[in-house]
Amino acid sequence: MFLIETEKDLLQAFRPRDREKVELPKDIRFPLFVRDYFAWVEPAGTRVFLVCPSPQGKRPMGIAFRRDSHGGPAPSQMCDWCHSYGSSNEIGLLTTDVNSKRRVGVNLCQDLRCKEKLESAADLSGRHFRDVIPPLMERMQRFAREALRIESVPEQ
């Protein structure tokens, strides 16, 4: 769990290169208490934003993803984070800049509602939903650490 007190604090969670791309949800209220992670899709639907604990857990980090469209309908795909299956409208390639010359991508739920899917699956199987969230958080943090080289968000 973490607290984001102001809009400025939320924007500071993102890397400087991503801050100008962030479009906050219209109904957001501060302070914002976040249990596991916070994600939203911009109104145009082109970008998806994620704020979660940094790999070192000291401060929240933000990742601005771009939804990359396919040429046509794709077969069912699996989200690399929550392992849900869905059509290309539900699961697809989300990309983000590593630097000015390199982008990385990962197949994810297009709206990053992985937690809801995991909680629902846990309920159906009789497991406690809190048991399925730590592996999801680890996958998010591993992506930040290994693909984006984010260890923690620097103080600014």
Side-chain angles (χ1 to χ4, degrees), residues 14-76:
F14 289 88
R15 298 174 297 164
R17 70 178 311 107
D18 292 336
R19 287 182 195 143
E20 65 188 37
K21 300 171 189 167
V22 176
E23 185 174 339
L24 297 177
K26 299 258 185 265
D27 59 349
I28 193 167
R29 301 281 183 260
F30 295 98
L32 180 65
F33 294 93
V34 181
R35 187 175 71 183
D36 300 302
Y37 70 93
F38 179 56
W40 70 98
V41 179
E42 71 177 358
T46 305
R47 294 197 184 279
V48 182
F49 303 99
L50 169 69
V51 178
C52 65
S54 66
Q56 293 180 346
K58 296 182 182 180
R59 295 190 51 193
M61 67 171 175
I63 301 173
F65 288 103
R66 187 174 71 202
R67 288 177 167 178
D68 287 351
S69 59
H70 311 304
S76 181

Side-chain angles (χ1 to χ4, degrees), residues 37-116:
Y37 70 93
F38 179 56
W40 70 98
V41 179
E42 71 177 358
T46 305
R47 294 197 184 279
V48 182
F49 303 99
L50 169 69
V51 178
C52 65
S54 66
Q56 293 180 346
K58 296 182 182 180
R59 295 190 51 193
M61 67 171 175
I63 301 173
F65 288 103
R66 187 174 71 202
R67 288 177 167 178
D68 287 351
S69 59
H70 311 304
S76 181
Q77 299 179 66
M78 183 180 78
C79 173
D80 288 340
W81 287 354
C82 70
H83 301 149
S84 296
Y85 283 94
S87 70
S88 59
N89 292 334
E90 299 167 308
I91 297 170
L93 185 64
L94 297 184
T95 64
T96 188
D97 294 330
V98 174
N99 55 42
S100 62
K101 296 180 181 182
R102 187 169 163 245
R103 295 183 64 74
V104 294
V106 60
N107 275 329
L108 299 175
C109 294
Q110 292 283 330
D111 54 9
L112 293 180
R113 294 176 66 180
C114 298
K115 179 173 71 170
E116 293 174 30

